[in-house]
Amino acid sequence: MNDTTAQTEYPRPQVLGGLIAYLQVDGAVKAAEFYKRAFGAEEVFSYPPDEQGRTMHIHLYINGSSLMLSDAYPEHGHPHKAAQGYTMQLILQADNIDGWWSRAVDAGCDIESPLQEMFWGDRWGSLRDPFGVNWAMNAPIK
């Protein structure tokens, strides 16, 4: 890029964590709003939606880590595919897992596996959000 090329500057939020999940969902703006209610997400950056309501990038902070979202762009080789074969795992503390669990269920997550004591010595349960993404919560037993 030379000095005469116009460039739009966007703020660059700090990326938290060393491995970042980047979810493609059908309705990234709606998913970000849902994750705020269900998981206490903080939106730190997003590109404005296009004329079809799609956005190419939203950056959230959840539980001390970054999560990034985008909509599908089939015309650019990125068609929407249903979520499968992975789980977003929230590692929590013994004193706050019940609050996290209740907030997610109250926001509209479906319980896949109830929150319970597991053989490895932690409390664990799994949920599915309205966008088809599996979420699990894990915390040590008090």
Side-chain angles (χ1 to χ4, degrees):
M1 177 180 292
N2 62 41
D3 293 331
T4 60
T5 304
Q7 179 181 357
T8 304
E9 294 290 325
Y10 292 100
R12 297 190 68 148
Q14 180 182 1
V15 175
L16 303 178
L19 178 64
I20 308 304
Y22 204 116
L23 302 177
Q24 180 208 76
V25 295
D26 187 14
V29 171
K30 289 180 182 178
E33 291 303 315
F34 179 80
Y35 295 155
K36 289 174 189 176
R37 290 188 313 277
F39 304 117
E42 174 190 354
E43 186 173 308
V44 293
F45 180 79
S46 68
Y47 283 105
D50 65 13
E51 6 356 283
Q52 295 173 321
R54 304 174 304 179
T55 182
M56 62 181 272
H57 183 71
I58 298 175
H59 187 157
L60 305 173
Y61 292 157
I62 299 177
N63 191 35
S65 295
S66 289
L67 173 67
M68 299 181 187
L69 309 170
S70 73
D71 282 292
Y73 284 84
E75 69 274 23
H76 297 293
H78 300 280
H80 178 68
K81 296 179 183 176
Q84 61 182 2
Y86 64 89
T87 299
M88 303 298 297
Q89 182 91 349
L90 292 164
I91 306 300
L92 303 166
Q93 301 301 313
D95 62 350
N96 69 4
I97 190 169
D98 292 307
W100 278 78
W101 184 266
S102 295
R103 179 177 55 197
V105 171
D106 291 347
C109 285
D110 292 325
I111 297 172
E112 296 277 310
S113 182
L115 188 60
Q116 59 192 306
E117 289 186 19
M118 300 304 288
F119 66 89
W120 60 83
D122 289 347
R123 291 180 70 217
W124 179 91
S126 67
L127 308 157
R128 182 175 301 274
D129 73 28
F131 303 89
V133 177
N134 272 357
W135 293 81
M137 296 186 190
N138 194 84
I141 295 172
K142 292 182 184 182

